[in-house]
Amino acid sequence: MSVLTDVTRSTIGKKLLNGLTGLLLCGFIVGHLAGNLLLLLGSDAFNTYAYTLHSLLHGAFVPLAEVGLVVLFTAHAISGISVALARRRARPDGYQKSANAGGKSRKSSSSTSMIITGVVLLVFVITHVAQFRGGFFAPREYADVMINGHATHNLYALVVDWFNQAPMVALYVVVMLLLGTHLRHGFWSAFQSLGAANPKYLPIIHGAGVIFAILMTVGFLMIPIYIFLFVDPVAGGTLIGG
Amino acid sequence: MASNAITVKLLIWRQSGPTAAGQLVPFTLENVLPEMSFLEMLDLLNEKLVREGTDPVAIDSDCREGICGTCGLVINGIAHGPNSGAATCEVRMRSFRDGETIVIEPFRAASFPVIKDLVVDRAAFDRIMAAGGYVSINTGSAPEANAIPVQRASAETAMDAASCIGCAACVAACPNASASLFTSAKISQYALLPQGRTEAGRRVVRMVEAMDAEGFGNCSNHGECEAVCPKEISIFNIGRMRREYLKAVL
Ligand code: HEM
């Protein structure tokens, strides 16, 4: 245990933790996006997916995954914030004039804004979970839908209601762009933090990071924009698949 | 004076002592020749200040040929100035235009207190080295040169890491004031060679602990350090330090 606390207290241990949790979160958002894209296929497809997810492992899958995600987000946020706090202690007096060195440097608006995009993502994740998992502030009440003979939440109707509101769509667009910014530096940086980057593969990892950031951003952006433009709110109490 | 001489406007950080408040002070310097090194330009300024009876600007320098790591200034926001792969002493005044304003500041980090003007105390690096930057051997006659085979690639990479002159530009340039590039170069130069492997685990843990204890920041993988390094030490050394650390603690 003391080894573990020593490691997590060291700068290197924090980066290992930040990189590992960051990559695992990248894995999570891929799965999350894949599932959410079913929203584009309509009510049946999405509600069936949601129902199936909740019945995996006799219903234990979702709670287990949620515990895992809370641990991941917490560890990632704490290790990330610690880097930003260490910076203020390590250089209390800044330069009068600062410039980027250029050349081989990978410093960018993306790498210098990790703490800002990260904190925005943290606040977003909490409200996002309250909104869609908790059903807080829901615009109206929803009658259950029938999936495979089981009454289940009409999550599709809730999502469609939210994304018919222009300010909500605008908010999601902004946050997803910030997610892309976070990933543009974050993806390759995580490999470097884990000591897994080498001169041969670095250009590939860096390029893959840019592509990954674009794919995730565009993928997540498509959903609210598509719904806002093309999908009308579901009429109350519709029964599907029953 | 030669017809190609230029005039530069200098904004130099002046601070009379470790606890004194400092500020940028303007100077105008004429008759600067393009072939002068940056330090020779400051010598010219200091000769003028001495003649005028003013306190000269304190700067650090020794070999003035890019191998000792003593000089180090932040010139227009960039550690060691505009030329990549060069120390401050290797920067020539031809890199600047006639009439240009040049801002000169010390390397800034809480772990490098300002002693006076542009001179900072970099003893924190010595303490990191003392924590593990050595190989313990039994003294006696020199061992036979070929007794321990060394892979050529390892020898080259170790030599690249060992070319670090400890100037601390990596810390100065890092947005987080992290000493990761320096520490990782020193760890790598031993870790890559069989002679250094015996103590590799202990060394990486101790040197990282010492680096943290000195109050340097953490690394965000910006890569500014490599870009300003006069010896172009690669950030892959930082990756190696992390692997070595993981190996040592697991
Ligand atoms: C969808 C969610 C997120 C994903 C996929 C993600 C991904 C990543 C990745 C891959 C890295 C690079 C790790 C490294 O440099 O070793 C990173 C860094 C970082 N993350 Fe996140 N992140 C997410 C959410 C957050 C949140 C909620 C915070 C909260 C503060 C945050 C703060 C940071 C910070 C500050 C860094 C940079 C640390 C540094 O400067 O070294 N991230 N993130």
Side-chain angles (χ1 to χ4, degrees), chain A residues 105-145:
Chain A
S105 177
R106 298 187 179 274
K107 183 175 166 218
S108 63
S109 54
S110 161
S111 76
T112 49
S113 62
M114 293 301 276
I115 184 63
I116 300 167
T117 51
V119 168
V120 172
L121 285 172
L122 187 61
V123 174
F124 166 78
V125 165
I126 293 167
T127 52
H128 175 73
V129 169
Q131 189 180 17
F132 289 116
R133 175 82 171 108
F136 291 103
F137 333 112
R140 57 189 165 112
E141 299 245 326
Y142 302 93
D144 281 353
V145 288

mmCIF file of all heavy atoms in Angstrom, chain A residues 105-145:
data_model
loop_
_atom_site.group_PDB
_atom_site.id
_atom_site.type_symbol
_atom_site.label_atom_id
_atom_site.label_comp_id
_atom_site.label_asym_id
_atom_site.label_seq_id
_atom_site.Cartn_x
_atom_site.Cartn_y
_atom_site.Cartn_z
ATOM 1 N N SER A 105 8.515 21.081 -30.953
ATOM 2 C CA SER A 105 7.538 21.216 -29.880
ATOM 3 C C SER A 105 6.141 20.825 -30.338
ATOM 4 O O SER A 105 5.754 21.084 -31.475
ATOM 5 C CB SER A 105 7.525 22.652 -29.373
ATOM 6 O OG SER A 105 6.535 22.789 -28.381
ATOM 7 N N ARG A 106 5.385 20.199 -29.460
ATOM 8 C CA ARG A 106 3.993 19.851 -29.761
ATOM 9 C C ARG A 106 3.031 20.691 -28.938
ATOM 10 O O ARG A 106 1.854 20.365 -28.798
ATOM 11 C CB ARG A 106 3.753 18.368 -29.504
ATOM 12 C CG ARG A 106 4.613 17.531 -30.407
ATOM 13 C CD ARG A 106 4.334 16.062 -30.348
ATOM 14 N NE ARG A 106 5.220 15.374 -31.275
ATOM 15 C CZ ARG A 106 4.960 15.194 -32.571
ATOM 16 N NH1 ARG A 106 3.813 15.611 -33.069
ATOM 17 N NH2 ARG A 106 5.802 14.592 -33.349
ATOM 18 N N LYS A 107 3.551 21.776 -28.386
ATOM 19 C CA LYS A 107 2.700 22.675 -27.611
ATOM 20 C C LYS A 107 1.709 23.336 -28.567
ATOM 21 O O LYS A 107 2.061 23.777 -29.653
ATOM 22 C CB LYS A 107 3.573 23.735 -26.940
ATOM 23 C CG LYS A 107 2.822 24.688 -26.047
ATOM 24 C CD LYS A 107 3.804 25.614 -25.339
ATOM 25 C CE LYS A 107 3.103 26.786 -24.699
ATOM 26 N NZ LYS A 107 3.900 28.012 -24.816
ATOM 27 N N SER A 108 0.459 23.381 -28.163
ATOM 28 C CA SER A 108 -0.583 23.951 -29.013
ATOM 29 C C SER A 108 -1.674 24.513 -28.117
ATOM 30 O O SER A 108 -1.636 24.329 -26.899
ATOM 31 C CB SER A 108 -1.173 22.858 -29.900
ATOM 32 O OG SER A 108 -1.779 21.882 -29.082
ATOM 33 N N SER A 109 -2.647 25.165 -28.727
ATOM 34 C CA SER A 109 -3.778 25.655 -27.926
ATOM 35 C C SER A 109 -4.450 24.464 -27.256
ATOM 36 O O SER A 109 -4.993 24.573 -26.161
ATOM 37 C CB SER A 109 -4.762 26.404 -28.817
ATOM 38 O OG SER A 109 -5.139 25.571 -29.897
ATOM 39 N N SER A 110 -4.383 23.314 -27.903
ATOM 40 C CA SER A 110 -4.984 22.113 -27.337
ATOM 41 C C SER A 110 -4.214 21.640 -26.099
ATOM 42 O O SER A 110 -4.814 21.326 -25.067
ATOM 43 C CB SER A 110 -5.012 21.042 -28.432
ATOM 44 O OG SER A 110 -5.152 19.779 -27.914
ATOM 45 N N SER A 111 -2.872 21.625 -26.177
ATOM 46 C CA SER A 111 -2.100 21.115 -25.037
ATOM 47 C C SER A 111 -2.117 22.079 -23.860
ATOM 48 O O SER A 111 -2.054 21.656 -22.714
ATOM 49 C CB SER A 111 -0.654 20.808 -25.456
ATOM 50 O OG SER A 111 0.118 21.980 -25.590
ATOM 51 N N THR A 112 -2.223 23.373 -24.140
ATOM 52 C CA THR A 112 -2.190 24.327 -23.021
ATOM 53 C C THR A 112 -3.576 24.529 -22.408
ATOM 54 O O THR A 112 -3.685 25.122 -21.344
ATOM 55 C CB THR A 112 -1.648 25.700 -23.467
ATOM 56 O OG1 THR A 112 -2.336 26.096 -24.646
ATOM 57 C CG2 THR A 112 -0.166 25.644 -23.753
ATOM 58 N N SER A 113 -4.626 24.033 -23.065
ATOM 59 C CA SER A 113 -5.965 24.252 -22.506
ATOM 60 C C SER A 113 -6.545 22.986 -21.890
ATOM 61 O O SER A 113 -7.727 22.926 -21.595
ATOM 62 C CB SER A 113 -6.907 24.789 -23.587
ATOM 63 O OG SER A 113 -7.031 23.833 -24.618
ATOM 64 N N MET A 114 -5.697 21.942 -21.676
ATOM 65 C CA MET A 114 -6.208 20.672 -21.138
ATOM 66 C C MET A 114 -6.986 20.865 -19.836
ATOM 67 O O MET A 114 -8.012 20.235 -19.622
ATOM 68 C CB MET A 114 -5.063 19.685 -20.900
ATOM 69 C CG MET A 114 -4.381 19.215 -22.155
ATOM 70 S SD MET A 114 -5.470 18.392 -23.303
ATOM 71 C CE MET A 114 -5.480 16.730 -22.671
ATOM 72 N N ILE A 115 -6.480 21.729 -18.967
ATOM 73 C CA ILE A 115 -7.151 21.904 -17.674
ATOM 74 C C ILE A 115 -8.516 22.591 -17.871
ATOM 75 O O ILE A 115 -9.496 22.255 -17.206
ATOM 76 C CB ILE A 115 -6.244 22.654 -16.666
ATOM 77 C CG1 ILE A 115 -6.906 22.738 -15.289
ATOM 78 C CG2 ILE A 115 -5.864 24.023 -17.144
ATOM 79 C CD1 ILE A 115 -7.144 21.426 -14.612
ATOM 80 N N ILE A 116 -8.574 23.522 -18.807
ATOM 81 C CA ILE A 116 -9.848 24.225 -19.047
ATOM 82 C C ILE A 116 -10.848 23.272 -19.697
ATOM 83 O O ILE A 116 -11.981 23.108 -19.209
ATOM 84 C CB ILE A 116 -9.609 25.463 -19.939
ATOM 85 C CG1 ILE A 116 -8.639 26.422 -19.256
ATOM 86 C CG2 ILE A 116 -10.932 26.161 -20.260
ATOM 87 C CD1 ILE A 116 -8.096 27.496 -20.160
ATOM 88 N N THR A 117 -10.444 22.610 -20.786
ATOM 89 C CA THR A 117 -11.367 21.688 -21.450
ATOM 90 C C THR A 117 -11.731 20.552 -20.491
ATOM 91 O O THR A 117 -12.883 20.110 -20.463
ATOM 92 C CB THR A 117 -10.744 21.110 -22.741
ATOM 93 O OG1 THR A 117 -9.449 20.578 -22.463
ATOM 94 C CG2 THR A 117 -10.599 22.174 -23.814
ATOM 95 N N GLY A 118 -10.765 20.125 -19.677
ATOM 96 C CA GLY A 118 -11.029 19.047 -18.714
ATOM 97 C C GLY A 118 -12.079 19.432 -17.696
ATOM 98 O O GLY A 118 -13.019 18.678 -17.441
ATOM 99 N N VAL A 119 -11.940 20.621 -17.101
ATOM 100 C CA VAL A 119 -12.906 21.034 -16.080
ATOM 101 C C VAL A 119 -14.297 21.233 -16.705
ATOM 102 O O VAL A 119 -15.317 20.851 -16.115
ATOM 103 C CB VAL A 119 -12.414 22.308 -15.344
ATOM 104 C CG1 VAL A 119 -13.511 22.907 -14.498
ATOM 105 C CG2 VAL A 119 -11.203 21.980 -14.479
ATOM 106 N N VAL A 120 -14.341 21.773 -17.923
ATOM 107 C CA VAL A 120 -15.630 21.901 -18.612
ATOM 108 C C VAL A 120 -16.250 20.517 -18.809
ATOM 109 O O VAL A 120 -17.439 20.298 -18.539
ATOM 110 C CB VAL A 120 -15.474 22.623 -19.976
ATOM 111 C CG1 VAL A 120 -16.778 22.566 -20.766
ATOM 112 C CG2 VAL A 120 -15.044 24.063 -19.772
ATOM 113 N N LEU A 121 -15.432 19.552 -19.225
ATOM 114 C CA LEU A 121 -15.937 18.192 -19.427
ATOM 115 C C LEU A 121 -16.453 17.597 -18.118
ATOM 116 O O LEU A 121 -17.478 16.912 -18.105
ATOM 117 C CB LEU A 121 -14.843 17.288 -20.004
ATOM 118 C CG LEU A 121 -14.511 17.489 -21.484
ATOM 119 C CD1 LEU A 121 -13.285 16.679 -21.885
ATOM 120 C CD2 LEU A 121 -15.696 17.099 -22.362
ATOM 121 N N LEU A 122 -15.758 17.885 -17.029
ATOM 122 C CA LEU A 122 -16.176 17.353 -15.730
ATOM 123 C C LEU A 122 -17.570 17.880 -15.359
ATOM 124 O O LEU A 122 -18.465 17.116 -14.986
ATOM 125 C CB LEU A 122 -15.154 17.736 -14.653
ATOM 126 C CG LEU A 122 -15.361 17.120 -13.277
ATOM 127 C CD1 LEU A 122 -15.276 15.601 -13.360
ATOM 128 C CD2 LEU A 122 -14.325 17.633 -12.289
ATOM 129 N N VAL A 123 -17.743 19.200 -15.479
ATOM 130 C CA VAL A 123 -19.043 19.799 -15.157
ATOM 131 C C VAL A 123 -20.108 19.251 -16.114
ATOM 132 O O VAL A 123 -21.227 18.893 -15.705
ATOM 133 C CB VAL A 123 -18.963 21.346 -15.260
ATOM 134 C CG1 VAL A 123 -20.335 21.967 -15.067
ATOM 135 C CG2 VAL A 123 -17.955 21.880 -14.261
ATOM 136 N N PHE A 124 -19.727 19.136 -17.378
ATOM 137 C CA PHE A 124 -20.655 18.621 -18.383
ATOM 138 C C PHE A 124 -21.094 17.202 -18.046
ATOM 139 O O PHE A 124 -22.288 16.882 -18.083
ATOM 140 C CB PHE A 124 -20.007 18.646 -19.770
ATOM 141 C CG PHE A 124 -20.755 17.847 -20.795
ATOM 142 C CD1 PHE A 124 -21.905 18.363 -21.387
ATOM 143 C CD2 PHE A 124 -20.358 16.559 -21.131
ATOM 144 C CE1 PHE A 124 -22.614 17.606 -22.316
ATOM 145 C CE2 PHE A 124 -21.060 15.807 -22.049
ATOM 146 C CZ PHE A 124 -22.195 16.324 -22.641
ATOM 147 N N VAL A 125 -20.124 16.341 -17.711
ATOM 148 C CA VAL A 125 -20.449 14.932 -17.454
ATOM 149 C C VAL A 125 -21.456 14.819 -16.309
ATOM 150 O O VAL A 125 -22.425 14.052 -16.385
ATOM 151 C CB VAL A 125 -19.164 14.126 -17.146
ATOM 152 C CG1 VAL A 125 -19.499 12.771 -16.531
ATOM 153 C CG2 VAL A 125 -18.348 13.931 -18.414
ATOM 154 N N ILE A 126 -21.254 15.614 -15.272
ATOM 155 C CA ILE A 126 -22.160 15.548 -14.126
ATOM 156 C C ILE A 126 -23.581 15.971 -14.544
ATOM 157 O O ILE A 126 -24.563 15.278 -14.253
ATOM 158 C CB ILE A 126 -21.625 16.433 -12.972
ATOM 159 C CG1 ILE A 126 -20.312 15.824 -12.441
ATOM 160 C CG2 ILE A 126 -22.651 16.541 -11.858
ATOM 161 C CD1 ILE A 126 -19.521 16.735 -11.529
ATOM 162 N N THR A 127 -23.703 17.082 -15.257
ATOM 163 C CA THR A 127 -25.045 17.532 -15.657
ATOM 164 C C THR A 127 -25.644 16.585 -16.703
ATOM 165 O O THR A 127 -26.851 16.324 -16.689
ATOM 166 C CB THR A 127 -25.009 18.956 -16.231
ATOM 167 O OG1 THR A 127 -24.010 18.995 -17.250
ATOM 168 C CG2 THR A 127 -24.675 19.986 -15.194
ATOM 169 N N HIS A 128 -24.800 16.048 -17.561
ATOM 170 C CA HIS A 128 -25.249 15.123 -18.600
ATOM 171 C C HIS A 128 -25.849 13.855 -17.985
ATOM 172 O O HIS A 128 -26.900 13.373 -18.410
ATOM 173 C CB HIS A 128 -24.037 14.787 -19.485
ATOM 174 C CG HIS A 128 -24.274 13.763 -20.540
ATOM 175 N ND1 HIS A 128 -25.020 14.015 -21.672
ATOM 176 C CD2 HIS A 128 -23.864 12.468 -20.649
ATOM 177 C CE1 HIS A 128 -25.046 12.918 -22.430
ATOM 178 N NE2 HIS A 128 -24.358 11.963 -21.830
ATOM 179 N N VAL A 129 -25.191 13.342 -16.940
ATOM 180 C CA VAL A 129 -25.700 12.144 -16.264
ATOM 181 C C VAL A 129 -27.009 12.471 -15.549
ATOM 182 O O VAL A 129 -27.972 11.703 -15.601
ATOM 183 C CB VAL A 129 -24.639 11.596 -15.277
ATOM 184 C CG1 VAL A 129 -25.248 10.530 -14.380
ATOM 185 C CG2 VAL A 129 -23.450 11.030 -16.049
ATOM 186 N N ALA A 130 -27.067 13.642 -14.907
ATOM 187 C CA ALA A 130 -28.303 14.043 -14.220
ATOM 188 C C ALA A 130 -29.438 14.148 -15.238
ATOM 189 O O ALA A 130 -30.572 13.729 -14.980
ATOM 190 C CB ALA A 130 -28.092 15.375 -13.511
ATOM 191 N N GLN A 131 -29.136 14.677 -16.390
ATOM 192 C CA GLN A 131 -30.145 14.938 -17.416
ATOM 193 C C GLN A 131 -30.701 13.647 -18.025
ATOM 194 O O GLN A 131 -31.916 13.493 -18.147
ATOM 195 C CB GLN A 131 -29.456 15.765 -18.506
ATOM 196 C CG GLN A 131 -30.349 16.327 -19.561
ATOM 197 C CD GLN A 131 -29.521 17.116 -20.581
ATOM 198 O OE1 GLN A 131 -28.301 16.981 -20.668
ATOM 199 N NE2 GLN A 131 -30.204 17.931 -21.358
ATOM 200 N N PHE A 132 -29.825 12.743 -18.402
ATOM 201 C CA PHE A 132 -30.270 11.562 -19.159
ATOM 202 C C PHE A 132 -30.369 10.289 -18.318
ATOM 203 O O PHE A 132 -31.243 9.471 -18.531
ATOM 204 C CB PHE A 132 -29.358 11.321 -20.366
ATOM 205 C CG PHE A 132 -29.545 12.358 -21.440
ATOM 206 C CD1 PHE A 132 -28.517 13.214 -21.796
ATOM 207 C CD2 PHE A 132 -30.779 12.504 -22.074
ATOM 208 C CE1 PHE A 132 -28.706 14.181 -22.768
ATOM 209 C CE2 PHE A 132 -30.972 13.468 -23.053
ATOM 210 C CZ PHE A 132 -29.934 14.320 -23.403
ATOM 211 N N ARG A 133 -29.470 10.119 -17.350
ATOM 212 C CA ARG A 133 -29.554 8.924 -16.506
ATOM 213 C C ARG A 133 -30.524 9.200 -15.370
ATOM 214 O O ARG A 133 -31.391 8.390 -15.057
ATOM 215 C CB ARG A 133 -28.165 8.588 -15.946
ATOM 216 C CG ARG A 133 -28.147 7.445 -14.955
ATOM 217 C CD ARG A 133 -28.130 6.111 -15.661
ATOM 218 N NE ARG A 133 -27.895 5.022 -14.693
ATOM 219 C CZ ARG A 133 -28.840 4.173 -14.326
ATOM 220 N NH1 ARG A 133 -30.081 4.284 -14.790
ATOM 221 N NH2 ARG A 133 -28.544 3.209 -13.469
ATOM 222 N N GLY A 134 -30.403 10.372 -14.760
ATOM 223 C CA GLY A 134 -31.258 10.710 -13.628
ATOM 224 C C GLY A 134 -32.636 11.181 -14.056
ATOM 225 O O GLY A 134 -33.588 11.125 -13.274
ATOM 226 N N GLY A 135 -32.750 11.679 -15.286
ATOM 227 C CA GLY A 135 -34.042 12.200 -15.748
ATOM 228 C C GLY A 135 -34.452 13.500 -15.061
ATOM 229 O O GLY A 135 -35.623 13.894 -15.080
ATOM 230 N N PHE A 136 -33.457 14.186 -14.453
ATOM 231 C CA PHE A 136 -33.779 15.458 -13.793
ATOM 232 C C PHE A 136 -34.152 16.526 -14.813
ATOM 233 O O PHE A 136 -33.714 16.480 -15.951
ATOM 234 C CB PHE A 136 -32.576 15.955 -12.972
ATOM 235 C CG PHE A 136 -32.304 15.110 -11.767
ATOM 236 C CD1 PHE A 136 -31.254 14.199 -11.762
ATOM 237 C CD2 PHE A 136 -33.118 15.204 -10.635
ATOM 238 C CE1 PHE A 136 -31.006 13.398 -10.663
ATOM 239 C CE2 PHE A 136 -32.872 14.412 -9.526
ATOM 240 C CZ PHE A 136 -31.817 13.507 -9.536
ATOM 241 N N PHE A 137 -34.912 17.469 -14.406
ATOM 242 C CA PHE A 137 -35.357 18.610 -15.231
ATOM 243 C C PHE A 137 -36.041 18.151 -16.527
ATOM 244 O O PHE A 137 -36.066 18.893 -17.505
ATOM 245 C CB PHE A 137 -34.204 19.563 -15.626
ATOM 246 C CG PHE A 137 -33.037 19.601 -14.688
ATOM 247 C CD1 PHE A 137 -31.776 19.103 -15.055
ATOM 248 C CD2 PHE A 137 -33.179 20.147 -13.414
ATOM 249 C CE1 PHE A 137 -30.707 19.137 -14.181
ATOM 250 C CE2 PHE A 137 -32.097 20.187 -12.550
ATOM 251 C CZ PHE A 137 -30.868 19.683 -12.924
ATOM 252 N N ALA A 138 -36.558 16.915 -16.570
ATOM 253 C CA ALA A 138 -37.170 16.427 -17.808
ATOM 254 C C ALA A 138 -38.331 17.324 -18.210
ATOM 255 O O ALA A 138 -39.078 17.803 -17.358
ATOM 256 C CB ALA A 138 -37.654 15.005 -17.625
ATOM 257 N N PRO A 139 -38.481 17.621 -19.508
ATOM 258 C CA PRO A 139 -39.525 18.524 -19.970
ATOM 259 C C PRO A 139 -40.929 17.999 -19.675
ATOM 260 O O PRO A 139 -41.861 18.773 -19.520
ATOM 261 C CB PRO A 139 -39.299 18.601 -21.483
ATOM 262 C CG PRO A 139 -37.929 18.066 -21.721
ATOM 263 C CD PRO A 139 -37.619 17.155 -20.601
ATOM 264 N N ARG A 140 -41.123 16.678 -19.653
ATOM 265 C CA ARG A 140 -42.447 16.130 -19.343
ATOM 266 C C ARG A 140 -42.314 14.709 -18.826
ATOM 267 O O ARG A 140 -41.218 14.185 -18.714
ATOM 268 C CB ARG A 140 -43.340 16.179 -20.587
ATOM 269 C CG ARG A 140 -42.755 15.430 -21.782
ATOM 270 C CD ARG A 140 -43.579 15.689 -23.039
ATOM 271 N NE ARG A 140 -42.845 15.271 -24.228
ATOM 272 C CZ ARG A 140 -43.200 14.229 -24.996
ATOM 273 N NH1 ARG A 140 -44.265 13.510 -24.712
ATOM 274 N NH2 ARG A 140 -42.497 13.918 -26.060
ATOM 275 N N GLU A 141 -43.479 14.110 -18.506
ATOM 276 C CA GLU A 141 -43.481 12.722 -18.051
ATOM 277 C C GLU A 141 -43.608 11.803 -19.252
ATOM 278 O O GLU A 141 -44.264 12.159 -20.233
ATOM 279 C CB GLU A 141 -44.659 12.489 -17.122
ATOM 280 C CG GLU A 141 -44.634 13.351 -15.884
ATOM 281 C CD GLU A 141 -44.465 12.509 -14.634
ATOM 282 O OE1 GLU A 141 -44.991 11.385 -14.622
ATOM 283 O OE2 GLU A 141 -43.783 12.983 -13.696
ATOM 284 N N TYR A 142 -42.989 10.637 -19.169
ATOM 285 C CA TYR A 142 -43.053 9.711 -20.303
ATOM 286 C C TYR A 142 -43.693 8.401 -19.890
ATOM 287 O O TYR A 142 -43.357 7.857 -18.837
ATOM 288 C CB TYR A 142 -41.643 9.428 -20.844
ATOM 289 C CG TYR A 142 -40.952 10.699 -21.267
ATOM 290 C CD1 TYR A 142 -40.134 11.382 -20.382
ATOM 291 C CD2 TYR A 142 -41.155 11.228 -22.539
ATOM 292 C CE1 TYR A 142 -39.529 12.568 -20.748
ATOM 293 C CE2 TYR A 142 -40.549 12.407 -22.908
ATOM 294 C CZ TYR A 142 -39.736 13.079 -22.016
ATOM 295 O OH TYR A 142 -39.147 14.247 -22.372
ATOM 296 N N ALA A 143 -44.604 7.940 -20.766
ATOM 297 C CA ALA A 143 -45.163 6.608 -20.544
ATOM 298 C C ALA A 143 -44.109 5.585 -20.959
ATOM 299 O O ALA A 143 -43.330 5.831 -21.876
ATOM 300 C CB ALA A 143 -46.426 6.427 -21.377
ATOM 301 N N ASP A 144 -44.049 4.445 -20.257
ATOM 302 C CA ASP A 144 -43.090 3.395 -20.619
ATOM 303 C C ASP A 144 -43.390 2.842 -22.002
ATOM 304 O O ASP A 144 -44.527 2.908 -22.483
ATOM 305 C CB ASP A 144 -43.157 2.243 -19.607
ATOM 306 C CG ASP A 144 -42.384 2.600 -18.344
ATOM 307 O OD1 ASP A 144 -41.714 3.658 -18.344
ATOM 308 O OD2 ASP A 144 -42.470 1.847 -17.361
ATOM 309 N N VAL A 145 -42.379 2.298 -22.629
ATOM 310 C CA VAL A 145 -42.584 1.589 -23.898
ATOM 311 C C VAL A 145 -42.369 0.098 -23.638
ATOM 312 O O VAL A 145 -41.737 -0.279 -22.650
ATOM 313 C CB VAL A 145 -41.591 2.067 -24.991
ATOM 314 C CG1 VAL A 145 -41.951 3.447 -25.467
ATOM 315 C CG2 VAL A 145 -40.158 2.004 -24.488
#
